[in-house]
Amino acid sequence: MREFLIGFNKAFESKARLGIMSVLIVNESLSFNSLKELLEMTDGNLATHLRALEEQGYVSVKKQFVGRKPNTTYSATPVGRQAFTDHLNALEDFIRGSV
C-alpha cells in the first residue's frame, strides 16, 4: 500500500487545499472573497490554507487597492500547477491500480 502513496503530495491532502488549487487551476486569478464564496470557507480557514500553499510556492498573492478598498487576489504558480497535475496523475494511477 505504501508504494501507492509515493506520488501523492501532502500539500493537497486537505479537502480545502484541493478545492483551492482546483479553482485556481481553471481561473487565472481570484479574489479572496471569490474564493471564500466559491469554497464556502471562513476567512480564517481560507487564509490559513492559502498561506500554507503560498509557503510551498504553489500560490502567488497580489495585494492592491481598487479605489480605496484593498483587494487581494491569488493565482496558481507554474510550480503549483505542475505539483497539482502530478498529484492528480498519482491519484489517477492509484484509482486505476497501475502503480
Side-chain angles (χ1 to χ4, degrees):
M1 177 66 142
R2 188 170 211 102
E3 66 274 2
F4 288 120
L5 303 177
I6 291 172
F8 287 22
N9 188 324
K10 291 186 80 58
F12 306 126
E13 284 182 354
S14 156
K15 176 183 165 185
R17 292 182 194 167
L18 193 64
I20 290 167
M21 287 303 294
S22 296
V23 170
L24 291 179
I25 291 294
V26 297
N27 292 281
E28 187 176 324
S29 66
L30 283 172
S31 70
F32 183 88
N33 287 333
S34 294
L35 282 167
K36 186 173 84 167
E37 289 175 24
L38 278 170
L39 300 170
E40 298 179 348
M41 296 175 71
T42 64
D43 287 359
N45 196 18
L46 179 58
T48 298
H49 288 291
L50 283 167
R51 190 175 314 112
L53 291 169
E54 184 182 3
E55 288 171 359
Q56 292 282 327
Y58 296 160
V59 169
S60 64
V61 59
K62 182 179 177 184
K63 295 184 180 214
Q64 60 187 11
F65 280 88
V66 176
R68 297 180 147 237
K69 295 176 80 174
N71 185 27
T72 304
T73 56
Y74 295 87
S75 57
T77 65
V79 169
R81 288 178 180 280
Q82 186 60 56
F84 192 67
T85 299
D86 293 345
H87 181 72
L88 292 180
N89 289 337
L91 284 171
E92 285 181 15
D93 290 343
F94 177 75
I95 291 167
R96 290 186 180 136
S98 64
V99 175

